[in-house]
Amino acid sequence: MNIVCLIEQTGGLERGSAREALGLARRLADAAGGQVTGLVLGSLRDPATLGAWGADRVVELPALDGPGSSDAWSAGLADALDPLAPDLILLSASATGRELGPRLAARLGTGLVAECTELAWQDGQWLATRPIFAGKVLVTAPVNTKPALVSLRAKVFAVQEGGPAARVEQASLAGREMKAVVEEILAAAGGKLDLSEADIIVSGGRGVGGPEGFAPLEELAAKLGAAVGASRAAVDAGWRPHSQQVGQTGRVVNPTLYIACGISGAIQHLAGMKNSRYIVAINKDPEAPIFKLADYGIVGDLFEVVPALSRALS
Amino acid sequence: MRIVVCLKRVPDTESVIRLTPDGTTIERGDLNYIINPYDEYALEAALQLKEAEGGEVVLLCAGEAEADSTLRKGLAMGADEAVLLQVPQELRDPWSTARLLADWLRAHPADLILAGKQGVDYDHGAVPGMLAELLGLPSATAICALERVADGVRVEREVEAGRERIRLPLPCVLSADKGLNEPRYASLKGIMMAKKKPLEVLESQATAEAEAGRLALPPARPAGRVIGEGAQAAGELLRLLKEEARVL
Ligand SMILES: Cc1cc2nc3c(=O)[nH]c(=O)nc-3n(C[C@H](O)[C@H](O)[C@H](O)COP(=O)(O)OP(=O)(O)OC[C@H]3O[C@@H](n4cnc5c(N)ncnc54)[C@H](O)[C@@H]3O)c2cc1C
């Protein structure tokens, strides 16, 4: 059995989501008998170290070190995958994965299992589980295409460390016209931590009252090494950028700790954060629906509770 | 410019979803249906482009017969005509949907194809990219800014590191994220006019290829717990996070 993980990198370092894919691939390969190849979208500073995360072999594609192009890259990846004869291809449901996955699926003629949260090899076939209806329902279905193409939701699959160094190869790609071309990447303000990659998120809602009301949340987040999120009410009011919205029409996040401040807990907000490992709610209304699922709720004014938390942490 | 907007009929995001006893599908009887919210951003972008430089906006939907009312809502917002590729049963599989849409689009080429970044029902987010590949067109997924430039469009999309700015020639396929614009409401006049606009229904026998699988409700979270009131509860919260949850 050949399992290939598409490895995204920034500046020659593999992304955390790539390690998650390798961890899953390793467990599947060990259970079903097989080998794991990391196919790098570009090249890595130290490719052999992917072995530690589960790869037996690494194939770098230096041609993809340049600017991105979804049309040229999906065609190039399809070419690079062909000699690897994969039974299963894993990619991340990241911004890049969401761009490339569907194109690659159509190119390979396989279809796509998107945003998978569980994957098993059972009775000779892949069985994939994914959330639908914003996580209100889970669907589990066999994947019968060869290769099976599956994108993984971030921060769901455990990484594992300790494997031996991987064999490293490089593959070249035929030159291709790039139609859609990434001209520039505008860095997030202050190199802020992305919500989907954060372990802790401090989120604010309408109860925060205005853009300046986020200052105590920012302070708490800095103390915790957390990212700041927001409800749609706070985003639509123009207090926070769209990239920070959590929920059905924003980001779906899986942090270990989600601290909701002045957020009522509307169904569309819950859709984005209810799989957080621990949920803290700070709200002055004891009847707020968010308390129904908060592991730890504090009834109170966020402008008193949040600074008190920051003080207690210093 | 001829713009095709892919539109989908989905249950309202407020809906409580119940499963049929055999667990193969959801109970659909009492659901309230809406235009997929992301598709509204796509349609708004199309209408703004048309207002700026002329052309026509065509709505395209692969769906069951009931989707005609969804298309009428899109026509009321300002689209010129609509096409329903009517299938006997909901296509839950994006690969089947994309091929059905691509067949129609090959016969009716567009300068620009817009869609929502994902349906808020089956949440694949795959149809626009598949469609682009099938048609051999460039694409950008989940755009939050769109600007017309001399020979094409320039778009932005959120990525983990910030925002990507991408340039694409026409024709191309774009999928819309929230934040792209503020979708307009249908005016009373728009609703009246929509009734007279062309809505073509083309019957198709397409069925989903991928196995539908079994549905289940996710495990419930343990019931919530209030640990205290006001600022004095801060210390207890930190203690619980450190000692009980062990996340700090
Ligand atoms: C199609 C659609 C998609 C949507 N997508 C999303 C989405 O992705 N994400 C999302 O969040 N919402 C989404 N919504 C909106 C959602 O329905 C709610 O309107 C929204 O989540 C409410 O935000 P909120 O909790 O911040 O505001 P509110 O519901 O107004 O709640 C504010 C809370 O703050 C509390 N509060 C006020 N002052 C204080 C204080 N000083 N201290 C402590 N607590 C205080 C109040 O008691 C209240 O509970 C969507 C809606 C639709 C129709």
Side-chain angles (χ1 to χ4, degrees):
Chain A
M1 164 118 39
N2 289 324
I3 305 181
V4 176
C5 298
L6 301 190
I7 307 293
E8 290 176 37
Q9 51 85 25
T10 24
L13 274 182
E14 73 277 8
R15 302 189 71 95
S17 55
R19 295 180 181 172
E20 292 165 18
L22 286 171
L24 172 67
R26 184 74 266 156
R27 289 187 290 278
L28 291 170
D30 289 347
Q35 72 158 348
V36 177
T37 302
L39 182 62
V40 186
L41 279 63
S43 32
L44 295 176
R45 271 186 233 161
D46 197 353
T49 56
L50 281 195
W53 307 102
D56 298 302
R57 170 174 63 162
V58 177
V59 179
E60 294 181 298
L61 298 171
L64 302 189
D65 279 324
S69 169
S70 54
D71 44 291
W73 282 31
S74 46
L77 282 172
D79 290 350
L81 283 161
D82 191 47
L84 304 177
D87 298 282
L88 171 67
I89 304 167
L90 297 177
L91 65 155
S92 310
S94 58
T96 302
R98 290 191 182 117
E99 185 86 271
L100 293 176
R103 293 199 70 115
L104 195 55
R107 190 142 192 120
L108 300 173
T110 56
L112 170 70
V113 179
E115 311 265 343
C116 178
T117 53
E118 266 179 74
L119 182 63
W121 175 250
Q122 228 172 63
D123 307 323
Q125 63 181 2
W126 300 109
L127 210 55
T129 300
R130 55 187 302 275
I132 54 176
F133 294 98
K136 290 174 196 167
V137 179
L138 299 173
V139 58
T140 302
V143 195
N144 292 318
T145 59
K146 183 175 159 37
L149 182 64
V150 179
S151 79
L152 306 178
R153 181 161 278 187
K155 296 191 88 68
V156 170
F157 295 95
V159 295
Q160 57 185 64
E161 219 181 328
R167 294 198 312 281
V168 179
E169 299 164 18
Q170 293 198 333
S172 57
L173 293 177
R176 264 204 180 75
E177 183 202 0
M178 301 195 289
K179 291 183 191 155
V181 186
V182 177
E183 291 183 322
E184 194 179 355
I185 298 182
L186 314 160
K192 286 214 173 79
L193 190 58
D194 187 75
L195 282 181
S196 56
E197 296 176 339
D199 282 325
I200 305 181
I201 295 172
V202 180
S203 245
R206 201 193 310 272
V208 171
E212 55 305 320
F214 272 87
L217 275 63
E218 296 272 10
E219 192 191 335
L220 178 61
K223 290 233 152 64
L224 292 169
V228 175
S231 75
R232 177 162 175 171
V235 168
D236 285 357
W239 306 343
R240 303 301 286 184
H242 284 284
S243 56
Q244 291 181 0
Q245 181 182 318
V246 172
Q248 182 158 19
T249 47
R251 299 294 182 97
V252 176
V253 297
N254 284 307
T256 31
L257 177 60
Y258 188 89
I259 306 180
C261 311
I263 292 177
S264 62
I267 191 162
Q268 298 93 347
H269 188 79
L270 303 185
M273 45 64 80
K274 70 171 190 289
N275 288 324
S276 307
R277 190 127 70 86
Y278 288 95
I279 296 172
V280 168
I282 302 165
N283 195 303
K284 65 181 182 190
D285 173 10
E287 302 299 322
I290 189 88
F291 285 125
K292 290 209 187 77
L293 81 167
D295 302 281
Y296 306 116
I298 297 182
V299 177
D301 187 334
L302 71 94
F303 293 107
E304 291 165 15
V305 179
V306 173
L309 284 169
S310 293
R311 278 196 304 276
L313 280 165
S314 13
Chain B
M1 181 145 68
R2 180 181 153 83
I3 308 175
V4 171
V5 179
C6 302
L7 210 69
K8 186 176 196 191
R9 173 179 181 262
V10 297
D12 192 325
T13 54
E14 294 280 348
S15 309
V16 175
I17 307 284
R18 274 181 275 273
L19 307 183
T20 54
D22 67 357
T24 56
T25 184
I26 62 164
E27 293 281 9
R28 304 207 297 164
D30 51 357
L31 293 178
N32 183 25
Y33 282 85
I34 56 170
I35 298 183
N36 179 42
Y38 291 114
D39 301 350
E40 290 193 351
Y41 302 110
L43 175 52
E44 177 62 36
L47 295 172
Q48 288 181 12
L49 284 170
K50 179 189 149 175
E51 282 158 7
E53 58 185 275
E56 53 171 349
V57 175
V58 181
L59 304 175
L60 178 63
C61 173
E64 294 159 297
E66 295 81 358
D68 64 350
S69 59
T70 312
L71 288 169
R72 287 279 173 218
K73 285 183 198 156
L75 291 171
M77 277 174 74
D80 300 296
E81 50 185 279
V83 177
L84 173 59
L85 307 176
Q86 188 182 317
V87 289
Q89 246 179 26
E90 184 180 44
L91 293 178
R92 284 198 221 161
D93 165 17
W95 182 219
S96 308
T97 307
R99 278 178 297 171
L100 181 60
L101 297 175
D103 284 343
W104 188 86
L105 281 158
R106 270 189 211 103
H108 306 84
D111 300 304
L112 178 61
I113 300 164
L114 278 156
K117 74 161 180 176
Q118 74 191 63
V120 300
D121 48 1
Y122 294 99
D123 289 328
H124 289 101
V127 167
M130 288 176 168
L131 198 53
E133 189 67 38
L134 285 167
L135 297 172
L137 298 178
S139 60
T141 302
I143 62 166
C144 56
L146 167 63
E147 181 197 349
R148 187 82 162 87
V149 291
D151 48 353
V153 290
R154 179 181 283 134
V155 303
E156 287 178 15
R157 57 190 295 265
E158 305 272 3
V159 298
E160 287 78 8
R163 268 179 178 218
E164 247 175 24
R165 184 176 283 160
I166 306 173
R167 197 172 173 131
L168 305 94
L170 294 179
C172 65
V173 180
L174 303 174
S175 80
D177 199 353
K178 175 175 180 284
L180 179 59
N181 49 43
E182 224 19 90
R184 66 195 63 189
Y185 290 102
S187 65
L188 200 57
K189 183 161 161 253
I191 295 170
M192 297 308 294
M193 280 167 57
K195 293 182 181 147
K196 300 198 195 78
K197 288 180 180 171
L199 193 167
E200 186 183 5
V201 179
L202 298 168
E203 282 189 42
S204 157
Q205 292 310 312
T207 51
E209 196 170 282
E211 248 182 85
R214 300 202 71 75
L215 309 188
L217 298 178
R221 282 189 81 93
R225 166 156 75 114
V226 170
I227 59 154
E229 279 181 30
Q232 66 268 27
E236 173 65 359
L237 174 61
L238 291 180
R239 188 191 69 75
L240 288 165
L241 290 176
K242 280 183 192 138
E243 293 172 16
E244 191 180 84
R246 296 171 190 267
V247 292
L248 291 188

